[in-house]
Amino acid sequence: MNQFKGKAKILAGGTDLLVQMKRGKIAPEYLINIKNISDLDRIEYDVNRGLTIGSLALIADLQESYTIRDRFPILHGALSQLGTQQVRNIATIGGNLCNASPAAETAPALIALGASAKIVGHGGEKVVKLEDFFVEPGKTVLKIGQILIEIQIPNVSPDCKGIYLKHALRRKLETAIVGVAVSLSTDFEYGPVKEANIVLGAAAPIPKRALKAEQLAKGKKIDQHLLNEIASVASEESSPITDVRATAEYRREMVKVLVKRAFTELIKI
Amino acid sequence: MEGREFTVVGKKLPRIDALAKVTGEGRFISDIQLPGMLYGKVLRSPLAHAKILDLDISNAEKLPGVKAVVTAKDSPRKTFCIYPNLANNLILQDTKVRYVGDQVAAVAAIDENIAEEALDLIKVEYQELPAVFDPEEAIKSSAPRIHEEENNVAAYIKRQFGNIEDGFARSDVIVEGRFKSPSVAHCCMEPRGCVASFDLSGKLTIWSTTQTPHSLRQELAEVLDIPINRVRVMSAYVGGAFGSRMFMDPIDAIASLLSRKSGKPVRIVNTREEEFISSRTRYPMIIELKTGAKKNGKCVVRQAKVITDNGAYNNLGSSVTGNACSKLCQLYSVPNIKFDGFVVYTNNVYGGACRGYGNPQITFAMETQMDEIAVKLGMDPAEIRLINANRPNTITVSGCEITSCGLTECIEETIDRSGWKMKKSKKRKNCGIGMAVVMHGGSGGKFYWGDNCHISSAIVKMNNDGTVDVLTGSKEIGQGSDTVLAQIAAEELGVLLEDINILSGDTDATPPCGGAWGSRQTFTAGIAVKSAAADVRRQLLSIATDMLEARIDDLEAKNGMISIKDYPEKAVPISTVASVSYTHLGTPIIGKSINNDPWSSTPDPVTGFGNVSSAYSFGVQVAEVEVDTDTGIVRPVKITCAYDLGRAINPLLAKGQVVGGTLSMGLGYALTENLVRKKGKVQNISFLDYKILTALDICDIECVFVETNDGRGPFGAKGIGEPAMIPTAAAISNAIYDAIGVRVKELPITPERILKALKEKS
Ligand SMILES: Cc1cc2nc3c(=O)[nH]c(=O)nc-3n(C[C@H](O)[C@H](O)[C@H](O)COP(=O)(O)OP(=O)(O)OC[C@H]3O[C@@H](n4cnc5c(N)ncnc54)[C@H](O)[C@@H]3O)c2cc1C
């Protein structure tokens, strides 16, 4: 990759890349097909280390994994809402993240799960938290010559529950107008929230944690009043744009609605 | 009229082209591959309004693989429009461009990539001009002029019937409102395309996705300046049209020019992006409507001011606006009408026919106001429609003669089948039910001045083995007209459906026909085919009189046999009679018929008075929705429809029209579809962001037909194609009101508009 000096692009499933090339948005001189690198599509679970996903793992395979369905339902939910079966059959999780769309389906769920990205190439190997992986729309921390090879997800404590909600006009085949992933841990159904992760998709230039809202929830027993406040704060933390799909104003409103709905789904309020 | 038992008509028969379609055998434009064929691409304007200062094609011509480059210089520069006096569009522009997507030049090359590369080599120097996109801005005297005309008003349509002052004075309730409808795309599954091939004698053969082959033939002859018989429009499978392929698209003519210049066949097929950018759209309208009614619910007066975004060139803007006015007069036969229609040029792409032809726009306004009036009077919205429903054998103030009419029965059917009364009385939170009615021409009509437009004719030949060839100038575009016309011929002749061979659309082989528009083919072409078949049947029976020693009146043809009515055992196979006609008598049997739609008349150009169609179709839709008041998302739950289509020649195909028209086009128009433009440039040029609903978003549908057996239609049939989509938006809107108490008067009813309306209410 180094030898092509930025004129090359990595090709995984191609469901983002080829569309962008066809539209004339990008015109790389070289495509580097990484699909033949063996073992990059593995899905491994270890009781101690948690879940390890190779960057070439197909969305469809991940969606069908019982481990993910049973132990990481928040991720399963996000995977199931990505595109259509045909797209999921060729799209990879690495491509979804590296394409760095603010609306990428898997990012909020993975960040909420505390996932990290393992990067290889130029200058060796390193692991970064996924919440620090994105830089701006279409741009990640990956430098020329680096590829994402693995996503690592720590084990989830049994008292933790999570959900990913996607808001769009159609039921399927949609780009999220807003996506919200929330994971909460509580000691018992009505107990106070010990840990809260609230991650917003399509509501800022990059998938974004609503840190202030999380802070507000932590250690508290959530009632309707507090939930409204959490939702409003999360909405204030978002910085969405107006585009052909929705206005910024509407997106901000939807952040509120989805945060509230996510909490209500997860715990008794 | 037709009280007898049918053997082919009225049966749920599979379409005759089903096998060809499901196996992929049917050839669409992109499947046509001729020896030496080139690929054409069109250079389109990136600017909405600009002068062309210079156009240099020399580099493109030099690119290896390029076989021809054409500009306006290669064309006779003849303006075109189906209304010749309004023509101001050219197939290629060379002085000015007036919308993003306007054609400037075109290339034919040995493959598509080279053709695209060549487009990049064409140098166009533009001088950008101020542009205007909002028709309400464009109508102002300060707006930039789009044509060399006094102002941007392409047409002003004024209609007055009865006396509106009097009407309003006598009204007990008056409602007023402003309604807006968007520019939407037809979204045909197959993009527009053609293959054009000039031979050495100068004859053009063209395969096109047209829905009006005989009109296209004439239009091409005109813009290419060649005799009509030097153009042959061929038959090919067409993957949808919905009005967008009514009349010529510049690419039909451009491909022809490229073929003439290169000496090779040339294929041009729009990309999906081009479909969204440069294909015809539904005319957006701003409608200010005021309606008055008496205490008893009777609607007595309507006044409308309509501003239609005509786009950059004249096509059907004034005709579509005029048709919206027709419906204003016709639906519920309102006695006092005033209509002021302004058709205004903008630097947007120009519109065209689109399933409903102005009626979906005006029905959305009219049927919303019917609901508002019902609310004001404390009446059931279904009741007020029953009170106002059109009746059979009546004449509207605008001169439209309604013969068969089953509107009342349709309303009653939907009330029963939808559980209307129960659902209206026991409301569930955020769930609602709404009704809307449609009245539409069911037979095309006399809208156009082009010679072929309202005519249908047919030739039916009986072969010596008893099989039949039907030649019709009509056009199969996926709606199933070949099947329906074959059923009509088989029924009339008394032969089996599989004995019919139908050829439609090929202009060298078939007699003139206006083609597929205005929900007309079953009716108008159906009458032609039926009469030509009747002609053949008479000839057959006459030969059989000797063979069966009976009088012609005593004979009947059925199931392939001619028999004496009361003695079915005295019979002779039709094949035997056919054979006798060839071998013994030497007079093969050929029938012909021309139907010039004698019952309709072109409306008076000044007053608009006249009976524009020979038959009118009616229908009702009841929509049920659920609204998420947090997100503004509207989910359709069920639609119950009843349609008066005279008679369903093929109930399967008729239902297909209703299902597609309602659940896809109708719901999309109501809820999601909208071409979003920024400075005239379409922003949603793919199905990712131009939202047609998917199979997961649509809802249940129940559909029943009210067969009024129209006295003029073939076996009593009238059209169903357009009525299928027209009332959906209004029904959904009324259901939303029932659910959450707000009315959104701008289509599509997006979540943001719902939330805004809710906010304004609280
Ligand atoms: C019809 C359709 C529907 C879609 N619906 C959705 C949806 O609902 N939600 C959603 O989030 N997305 C959706 N997408 C987008 C897309 O399918 C996903 O983002 C997909 O996961 C991308 O994966 P890919 O393997 O195809 O990536 P590619 O297109 O191969 O690559 C995408 C980008 O990432 C880079 N890249 C890929 N792998 C690596 C790597 N290992 N290291 C470094 N760089 C890499 C590529 O160079 C490229 O820039 C849809 C796409 C289509 C066509």
Side-chain angles (χ1 to χ4, degrees), chain A residues 1 8-20 26 31-32 34-35 40 55-59 78 81-84 87-88 90-101 103-107 133 138 140 142 146-150 164 166 172-176, chain B residues 688:
Chain A
M1 257 196 109
K9 272 273 182 191
I10 300 277
L11 174 71
T15 59
D16 276 317
L17 190 65
L18 298 185
V19 175
Q20 288 157 8
I26 52 169
L31 288 184
I32 300 173
I34 57 169
K35 273 179 287 189
L40 265 194
S55 64
L56 285 182
L58 297 178
I59 303 292
Q81 294 183 66
L82 190 150
T84 58
V87 173
R88 292 192 292 271
I90 45 172
T92 66
I93 191 159
N96 192 239
L97 297 171
C98 294
N99 186 56
S101 156
E105 225 69 74
T106 62
F133 183 70
T140 65
L142 290 177
Q146 289 184 324
I147 65 168
L148 169 71
I149 61 159
E150 198 172 282
Y164 171 73
K166 172 179 183 174
K172 279 284 153 70
L173 201 60
E174 275 284 28
T175 311
Chain B
L688 180 59

Side-chain angles (χ1 to χ4, degrees), chain B residues 619-638:
Chain B
V620 182
Q621 292 190 1
V622 168
E624 291 166 63
V625 301
E626 199 173 335
V627 185
D628 181 332
T629 49
D630 292 332
T631 60
I633 295 262
V634 176
R635 297 278 181 219
V637 176
K638 188 181 175 191

Side-chain angles (χ1 to χ4, degrees), chain B residues 113-247:
Chain B
N113 292 339
I114 296 175
E116 270 168 12
E117 216 181 310
L119 290 187
D120 288 343
L121 297 176
I122 297 176
K123 275 188 250 150
V124 193
E125 198 184 324
Y126 293 107
Q127 181 195 341
E128 195 165 357
L129 298 170
V132 59
F133 307 104
D134 176 351
E136 286 182 297
E137 288 300 317
I139 205 169
K140 293 181 181 159
S141 57
S142 56
R145 295 276 182 283
I146 294 164
H147 290 275
E148 320 293 293
E149 291 170 25
E150 209 178 302
N151 54 39
N152 288 328
V153 179
Y156 168 52
I157 297 160
K158 187 181 164 151
R159 299 274 180 266
Q160 226 163 334
F161 301 103
N163 179 333
I164 61 156
E165 282 76 28
D166 189 45
F168 284 118
R170 288 193 299 120
S171 295
D172 298 309
V173 261
I174 294 174
V175 291
E176 269 183 273
R178 183 182 147 95
F179 299 83
K180 257 184 112 166
S181 56
S183 173
V184 298
H186 303 69
C187 300
C188 305
M189 218 190 289
E190 182 193 19
R192 180 133 198 167
C194 64
V195 178
S197 177
F198 263 103
D199 66 16
L200 290 174
S201 77
K203 178 161 180 179
L204 169 66
T205 303
I206 183 167
W207 290 258
S208 166
T209 50
T210 180
Q211 60 194 101
T212 51
H214 285 271
S215 297
L216 178 62
R217 183 191 201 201
Q218 195 170 317
E219 288 178 284
L220 281 170
E222 270 164 36
V223 294
L224 298 171
D225 210 6
I226 54 179
I228 290 180
N229 74 350
R230 302 278 82 197
V231 182
R232 178 180 190 183
V233 178
M234 295 291 286
S235 203
Y237 280 99
V238 175
F242 307 106
S244 65
R245 285 103 196 245
M246 195 173 166
F247 307 129

Side-chain angles (χ1 to χ4, degrees), chain A residues 3-247:
Chain A
Q3 89 194 55
F4 299 122
K5 300 219 172 51
K7 291 178 194 152
K9 272 273 182 191
I10 300 277
L11 174 71
T15 59
D16 276 317
L17 190 65
L18 298 185
V19 175
Q20 288 157 8
M21 286 170 62
K22 204 169 161 216
R23 284 277 161 72
K25 275 195 198 151
I26 52 169
E29 280 176 39
Y30 305 94
L31 288 184
I32 300 173
N33 185 352
I34 57 169
K35 273 179 287 189
N36 296 330
I37 304 179
S38 60
D39 233 23
L40 265 194
D41 61 352
R42 75 208 136 94
I43 307 168
E44 269 173 19
Y45 181 71
D46 180 288
V47 239
N48 300 317
R49 273 180 296 134
L51 184 67
T52 309
I53 301 173
S55 64
L56 285 182
L58 297 178
I59 303 292
D61 289 342
L62 293 164
Q63 186 197 357
E64 281 161 21
S65 150
Y66 292 129
T67 310
I68 295 180
R69 190 193 64 188
D70 297 341
R71 292 178 190 267
F72 306 93
I74 183 172
L75 179 58
H76 177 78
L79 295 162
S80 316
Q81 294 183 66
L82 190 150
T84 58
Q85 190 64 47
Q86 294 92 322
V87 173
R88 292 192 292 271
N89 285 341
I90 45 172
T92 66
I93 191 159
N96 192 239
L97 297 171
C98 294
N99 186 56
S101 156
E105 225 69 74
T106 62
L110 287 170
I111 293 174
L113 286 168
S116 303
K118 185 164 163 191
I119 297 168
V120 165
H122 193 57
E125 210 179 271
K126 64 174 177 180
V127 175
V128 300
K129 294 287 278 177
L130 199 61
E131 57 183 281
D132 302 323
F133 183 70
F134 303 101
V135 177
E136 58 184 62
K139 197 167 181 319
T140 65
V141 294
L142 290 177
K143 298 204 182 67
I144 293 169
Q146 289 184 324
I147 65 168
L148 169 71
I149 61 159
E150 198 172 282
I151 295 127
Q152 301 167 345
I153 306 168
N155 258 324
V156 177
S157 72
D159 58 8
C160 180
K161 288 196 279 187
I163 191 167
Y164 171 73
L165 298 178
K166 172 179 183 174
H167 181 63
L169 219 46
R170 289 189 293 228
R171 285 182 201 268
K172 279 284 153 70
L173 201 60
E174 275 284 28
T175 311
I177 290 176
V178 165
V180 167
V182 173
S183 80
L184 300 173
S185 48
T186 51
D187 276 335
F188 50 94
E189 247 183 355
Y190 290 95
V193 166
K194 289 192 301 186
E195 285 296 331
N197 284 336
I198 303 174
V199 192
L200 315 178
I206 56 171
K208 187 179 167 165
R209 275 179 74 176
L211 292 167
K212 288 182 196 148
E214 289 177 2
Q215 226 37 53
L216 212 55
K218 244 185 227 175
K220 310 244 181 60
K221 155 115 196 50
I222 313 285
D223 59 14
Q224 200 59 55
H225 178 75
L226 179 60
L227 182 53
N228 287 343
E229 203 182 326
I230 293 168
S232 297
V233 169
S235 171
E236 279 159 28
E237 285 181 86
S238 70
S239 51
I241 56 163
T242 293
D243 63 10
V244 69
R245 291 171 204 134
T247 61

